[in-house]
């Protein structure tokens, strides 16, 4: 994977993905957005099945839906947060679910933020824009473990 | 030997006086014997009397004995009866215990079924909440996107159509939310605590108007005693009633809303009064039905679940809710919260 990845969006619903991307495009804050549509793609992307010698991606933000096919969002969240290489990456769960058990589980796994997708599109667009502003502009990102330009990856 | 007169014939033979002596002796002996006999007879009579007395005593003893025997027999009979009654009572008790046990088993089963049904409902709601919301968002999202990004390509009619789509999608989303809240309320556990009703009313109202800074509504908060109830549910009641009041007074020049408590009404009732559009009292029965609306969508938006929610919550608290209104003059909604007012 070449280039800085700003945002990784893991969203299986194509309409939602499209609407979110539209907001990102409009605000032009993020330059490089990667859209993945299920848990397996997300894990593959983050834990590197990339080319040999290239560092694993270190996005500034992961926007993660919970209901994903193959490997669900909670599992992806847990894997990311329990691996030292990726634990620092800010993760925002963006999901339709307002269910208490999902909120509990996500925070127990170490999510940085839990946001429910509003039904009304106007609200939804505003939420996505706010998220982007906050996490990419206001929030100080974690210190990069692997600076761009490459460092040998130590296999654990 | 008698001396004295001698019989002329004193030539009485010597043998005669011996016979006389013998006769006298015999006479004397007989007299003695008769005396002894008399004494014996007296003694015998005494013995007879004593024996009679003894027999009498024996008779009394025997009578007493018979009485004791009868009494003992009665006691034994009574005791036997008691024993029977005891056995009957015990049998009855065993039956009752059996009935209680089968009742309890029935209740256990009912509880298990209820819990299973609840879990199913929970899963259903979860699915609804996720799966219905996504397409609704797409509907409203893409219609908005079209309106924003392709405005020049659309004529007024086209724009109107898209607005209808977006509006309906949003409305359906609201319906889904309301239905879920309504269903969840029926299953949720209530936590009854003392509630400061004045404080709750003040906060709910100020939160609602904070979102609508352009409205200038006169809010009158009258004294209201604390109540006992589930804090978040009662907050929902106040939110729904106040937001209705705010909605229906929007057209007035001088909107006014009042909250208070009337001790004599319905045993002590809280009320929310507004001077807004009111409603026709002939439809008052429909007021608290789910999705029942007494106004046109074009006049006042809403899904008609707000009051059904209020009704459900108040009913779960054991209270009553009712309303009075006059068209174009306003409405008053009353509700009671038994058990805890005026502590």
């Amino acid at each position: 994977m070449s280039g800085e990845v700003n945002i990784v969006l893991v969203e299986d619903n194509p309409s939602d993905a499209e609407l979110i991307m539209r907001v990102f495009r409009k605000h032009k804050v993020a330059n490089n957005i990667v859209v993945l549509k299920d848990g397996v793609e997300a894990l593959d992307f983050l834990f590197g099945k990339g080319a040999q010698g290239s560092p694993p991606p270190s996005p500034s933000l992961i926007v993660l839906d919970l209901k994903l096919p193959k490997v669900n969002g909670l599992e992806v969240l847990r894997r990311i947060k329990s691996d030292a290489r990726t634990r620092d990456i800010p993760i925002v769960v963006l999901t339709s679910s307002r269910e208490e058990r999902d909120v509990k589980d996500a925070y127990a796994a170490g999510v940085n933020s839990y946001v429910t997708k509003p039904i009304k599109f106007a609200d939804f667009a505003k939420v996505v824009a706010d998220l982007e502003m906050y996490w990419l502009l206001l929030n100080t990102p974690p210190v990069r473990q692997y600076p761009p330009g490459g460092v040998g990856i130590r296999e654990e | 030997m008698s001396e004295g007169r001698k019989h002329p014939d004193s030539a009485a033979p010597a043998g005669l006086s011996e016979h006389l002596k013998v006769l006298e002796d015999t006479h004397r002996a007989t007299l003695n014997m008769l005396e002894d006999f008399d004494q014996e007879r007296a003694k015998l009579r005494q013995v007879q009397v004593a024996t009679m007395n003894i027999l009498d005593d024996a008779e009394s003893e025997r009578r007493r004995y018979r009485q004791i025997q009868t009494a003992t027999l009665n006691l034994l009979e009574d005791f036997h009866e008691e024993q029977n009654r005891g056995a009957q009572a015990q049998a009855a008790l065993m039956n009752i215990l059996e009935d209680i046990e089968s009742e309890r088993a029935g209740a256990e089963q009912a509880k298990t079924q209820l819990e299973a049904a609840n879990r199913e409902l929970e899963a259903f709601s979860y699915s609804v909440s996720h799966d219905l919301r996504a397409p609704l968002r797409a509907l409203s999202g893409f219609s908005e996107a079209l309106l924003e990004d392709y405005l020049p390509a659309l004529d007024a009619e086209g724009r109107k159509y898209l607005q209808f789509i977006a509006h309906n999608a949003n409305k359906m989303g609201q319906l889904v939310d309301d239905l879920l809240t309504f269903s969840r309320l029926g299953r949720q556990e209530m936590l009854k605590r003392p509630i400061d009703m004045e404080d709750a009313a003040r906060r709910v109202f100020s939160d609602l108007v904070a979102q609508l800074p352009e409205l200038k509504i006169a809010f009158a908060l009258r004294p209201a005693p604390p109540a006992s109830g589930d804090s978040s549910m009662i907050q929902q009641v106040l939110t729904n009633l106040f937001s209705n009041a705010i909605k229906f007074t929007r057209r007035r020049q001088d909107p006014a809303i009042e909250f208070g408590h009337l001790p004599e009404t319905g045993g002590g009732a809280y009320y929310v009064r507004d001077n807004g559009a009111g409603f026709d009292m002939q439809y008052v029965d429909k007021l608290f039905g789910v999705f029942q609306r007494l106004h046109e969508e074009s006049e006042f938006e809403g899904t008609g679940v707000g009051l059904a929610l209020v009704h459900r919550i108040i009913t779960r608290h054991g209270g009553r809710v009712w309303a009075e209104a006059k068209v174009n003059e306003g409405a008053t909604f009353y509700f009671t919260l038994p058990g805890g007012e005026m502590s």
Side-chain angles (χ1 to χ4, degrees):
Chain A
M1 310 277 166
S2 62
E4 249 176 71
V5 174
N6 299 130
I7 300 180
V8 170
L9 171 63
V10 191
E11 170 64 66
D12 68 317
N13 185 315
S15 322
D16 279 350
E18 186 61 43
L19 290 171
I20 293 171
M21 288 298 287
R22 183 171 167 273
V23 174
F24 288 156
R25 276 197 299 271
K26 220 159 94 163
H27 290 268
K28 296 187 175 49
V29 175
N31 296 326
N32 194 350
I33 306 167
V34 171
V35 183
L36 303 163
K37 58 180 175 6
D38 61 53
V40 169
E41 279 190 13
L43 291 172
D44 282 349
F45 180 77
L46 289 166
F47 291 107
K49 290 241 177 87
Q52 292 288 21
S54 66
S58 192
S60 308
L61 179 66
I62 299 178
V63 178
L64 179 62
D65 192 9
L66 282 184
K67 278 248 177 121
L68 298 169
K70 297 183 193 166
V71 176
N72 74 29
L74 194 59
E75 187 54 39
V76 172
L77 173 64
R78 285 189 184 129
R79 297 267 274 272
I80 299 176
K81 285 299 180 183
S82 59
D83 190 309
R85 294 173 289 172
T86 51
R87 182 184 313 165
D88 286 347
I89 305 173
I91 303 185
V92 172
V93 154
L94 182 62
T95 177
S96 299
S97 167
R98 213 177 292 174
E99 297 295 310
E100 229 183 71
R101 90 171 108 121
D102 286 336
V103 179
K104 265 194 191 154
D105 290 344
Y107 275 106
V111 77
N112 297 78
S113 171
Y114 188 105
V115 177
T116 318
K117 290 177 185 169
I119 297 183
K120 277 199 190 162
F121 177 69
D123 302 336
F124 179 71
K126 179 160 195 309
V127 162
V128 173
D130 286 348
L131 276 176
E132 196 184 22
M133 292 302 164
Y134 178 82
W135 287 101
L136 261 54
L137 294 181
L138 196 57
N139 185 54
T140 304
V143 174
R144 294 274 211 86
Q145 291 207 314
Y146 300 98
V151 158
I153 304 171
R154 215 165 12 102
E155 293 291 337
E156 214 69 44
Chain B
M1 187 91 52
S2 69
E3 301 183 88
R5 254 182 17 183
K6 285 219 179 137
H7 204 275
D9 303 341
S10 48
L16 199 62
S17 51
E18 274 204 29
H19 281 307
L20 275 175
K21 216 168 120 204
V22 167
L23 220 61
E24 269 178 31
D25 285 343
T26 312
H27 183 70
R28 215 175 288 132
T30 310
L31 281 179
N32 284 342
M33 267 172 50
L34 279 178
E35 256 185 58
D36 288 344
F37 178 68
D38 236 355
Q39 276 183 6
E40 287 296 305
R41 207 170 52 150
K43 231 181 276 180
L44 200 64
R45 206 163 268 149
Q46 278 180 355
V47 168
Q48 197 185 37
V49 167
T51 308
M52 291 305 283
N53 284 342
I54 289 175
L55 280 179
D56 260 348
D57 288 344
E59 185 61 35
S60 316
E61 282 302 311
R62 207 164 52 135
R63 233 177 289 132
R64 213 175 303 158
Y65 171 72
R66 205 166 271 144
Q67 278 176 354
I68 290 175
Q69 195 184 41
T70 311
T72 308
L73 279 177
N74 285 344
L75 277 173
L76 280 177
E77 259 183 55
D78 289 344
F79 176 70
H80 203 66
E81 245 179 67
E82 282 303 309
Q83 227 185 10
N84 277 349
R85 224 175 292 163
Q88 278 174 0
Q90 198 182 36
L93 205 63
M94 292 305 283
N95 284 343
I96 291 177
L97 283 177
E98 263 180 48
D99 288 343
I100 290 178
E101 185 57 40
S102 66
E103 282 291 304
R104 202 190 58 86
E108 274 295 323
Q109 203 184 36
K111 187 166 103 127
T112 311
Q113 285 175 344
L114 205 61
E115 284 172 349
N118 253 9
R119 274 196 300 272
E120 270 184 44
L121 205 56
E122 190 73 49
F124 174 73
S125 306
Y126 184 75
S127 176
V128 164
S129 86
H130 182 91
D131 297 328
L132 275 185
R133 284 186 176 137
L136 288 174
R137 188 171 38 252
L139 276 172
S140 83
F142 285 107
S143 1
E144 296 279 344
L146 268 175
L147 280 171
E148 282 176 24
D149 299 349
Y150 289 90
L151 198 59
L154 290 165
D155 66 352
E157 200 71 8
R159 269 175 261 147
K160 193 167 71 169
Y161 290 171
L162 279 174
Q163 271 156 0
F164 271 122
I165 293 177
H167 175 74
N168 276 282
N170 289 337
K171 183 166 175 198
M172 185 162 167
Q174 192 61 50
L175 271 170
V176 168
D177 273 352
D178 286 349
L179 269 176
L180 279 176
T181 310
F182 187 73
S183 135
R184 195 173 297 131
L185 264 182
R187 293 176 281 121
Q188 213 171 42
E189 272 186 47
M190 280 203 312
L191 225 68
K192 276 197 174 178
R193 293 268 148 78
I195 302 176
D196 181 341
M197 292 298 280
E198 287 180 18
D199 187 59
R202 196 178 299 122
R203 274 189 290 114
V204 167
F205 186 77
S206 64
D207 284 348
L208 284 172
V209 294
Q211 301 171 16
L212 310 155
E214 67 281 6
L215 290 179
K216 288 281 173 282
I217 306 179
F219 182 52
L221 182 60
R222 305 260 174 260
S228 166
D230 182 298
S231 169
S232 66
M233 287 189 190
I234 297 302
Q235 196 170 314
Q236 182 81 61
V237 166
L238 291 174
T239 303
N240 286 9
L241 291 177
F242 282 151
S243 90
N244 273 357
I246 292 171
K247 180 162 68 179
F248 287 100
T249 55
R250 219 192 358 244
R251 301 247 184 90
R252 285 200 70 112
Q253 299 283 37
D254 54 344
I257 297 176
E258 186 180 321
F259 174 80
H261 181 264
L262 296 168
E264 330 80 47
T265 310
Y270 300 91
Y271 66 90
V272 176
R273 179 173 295 142
D274 69 74
N275 63 350
F279 57 84
D280 192 336
M281 278 300 279
Q282 72 168 295
Y283 301 117
V284 70
D285 293 332
K286 296 182 137 200
L287 207 56
F288 297 101
V290 182
F291 293 149
Q292 293 291 345
R293 304 208 64 229
L294 299 186
H295 294 273
E296 281 188 24
E297 179 67 26
S298 53
E299 278 193 273
F300 297 106
E301 81 286 1
T303 56
V305 178
L307 285 180
L309 272 168
V310 167
H311 183 265
R312 188 161 202 178
I313 294 174
I314 298 295
T315 307
R316 279 196 77 192
H317 279 75
R320 287 191 309 127
V321 59
W322 69 100
E324 286 164 5
K326 264 209 172 114
V327 176
N328 287 327
E329 287 182 33
T332 309
F333 283 81
Y334 305 89
F335 63 92
T336 64
L337 284 172
E341 289 177 354
M342 305 296 306
S343 54

